[in-house]
Amino acid sequence: MKILIAEDDPELARQTQDWLREAGHETVWVKAGYEALSRGHEVAFDLILLDIGLPELDGFQIIEQLRGDAVRTPVICLTARDTVMDRVHGLKVGADDYLTKPFAEPELLARIEALHRRATHGLAAVSAKSGWKLDPVRRRVQVGTMVADLQPREWLLLELLMTNDGRVLTKKFLLDKVWGIQYTPGTNVVDVLVCRLRSKLDPTDGPSFIETVRGKGYVFRANP
C-alpha cells in the first residue's frame, strides 16, 4: 500500500515510516495542513494517516474538505486527543478509524490491514461476479477490452451502485452519499453523473449496466 503520513512531529513520523516500510508499505510524509490536503487529493494513496493537530489546517478540517470533494481514501486519525467527543467528531466528519498517541506498532499495522480489507472486500466480490476489473487506486475500470478512467465522483457513484448490485438506490440516497447534500426537487446532478458513467462504461451494442427505475432511482446490474 502507498500511505500518506501527515504528522508534524518529525520523530514520530520517522518511526511510523520505519514501521510501515518494514511491513512492505510505501510512505510519503508531510508535516503541515495545506500540503496534507493537497496530497490527499492524489489518487495514488491507498490510506492516509492523519494527525489532528497539524499547523495551518487541523485534521478535522482536512477530512471535511476531502470528503466534500468526493475523496474517499480511507483515513486513520492519529492524535493525542483521547476524549469521546473528539473520537465521535472525527468519525462524524468522515474518518474511518481513530488511534490515540502513543500507539504501538502492532496495533497500527492491524488497523491498517483491517481497514484495507473493508475498503476492498465489497468491490472485489462484485468484480469477481461481473468479470469487471477494478483499480480503486487509479479509479480505472476495465470491461472486456474497454478501459475507462473515472473522476472521483464517477468512481464513488459506481462503487455505490456496484456494491448494491440489484438494489434500487434513490436519488436522495445518492445525493447524500456522493455530494453530501439533501435532495432538492428538480435537481439533475445525479442524472448528469449517471449519463457520464454510461457514456464511459456501456457497450455500444447492448443494454446499460445502470438501469433507470422510473420514479425511484437507479440500479446496477452486473449482467443486464
Side-chain angles (χ1 to χ4, degrees), residues 4-22:
L4 176 65
I5 302 170
E7 171 59 63
D8 65 343
D9 181 334
E11 179 57 30
L12 179 58
R14 182 200 61 77
Q15 184 181 53
T16 304
Q17 282 188 300
D18 287 345
W19 289 345
L20 295 175
R21 287 170 178 169
E22 287 175 7

Side-chain angles (χ1 to χ4, degrees), residues 5-9 12 31 48-55 57-60 62 76-80 101:
I5 302 170
E7 171 59 63
D8 65 343
D9 181 334
L12 179 58
K31 57 185 178 182
I48 301 173
L49 298 179
L50 182 62
D51 179 26
I52 297 302
L54 290 173
L57 288 174
D58 71 29
F60 294 146
I62 292 169
I76 298 178
C77 293
L78 304 177
T79 179
K101 302 174 183 177

Side-chain angles (χ1 to χ4, degrees), residues 74-145:
V75 175
I76 298 178
C77 293
L78 304 177
T79 179
R81 303 181 190 180
D82 60 357
T83 68
V84 172
M85 291 306 297
D86 280 324
R87 294 198 298 273
V88 169
H89 183 59
L91 295 171
K92 279 189 173 181
V93 297
D96 297 274
D97 202 352
Y98 203 104
L99 191 56
T100 55
K101 302 174 183 177
F103 49 84
E105 176 188 2
E107 183 177 9
L108 173 62
L109 295 178
R111 286 175 181 262
I112 289 172
E113 291 171 6
L115 194 53
H116 184 62
R117 284 197 303 271
R118 292 206 309 267
T120 58
H121 176 74
L123 276 182
V126 179
S127 177
K129 181 172 70 172
S130 66
W132 290 32
K133 295 181 181 179
L134 304 172
D135 184 343
V137 175
R138 294 180 177 85
R139 301 192 191 97
R140 181 168 294 169
V141 182
Q142 181 174 349
V143 186
T145 59

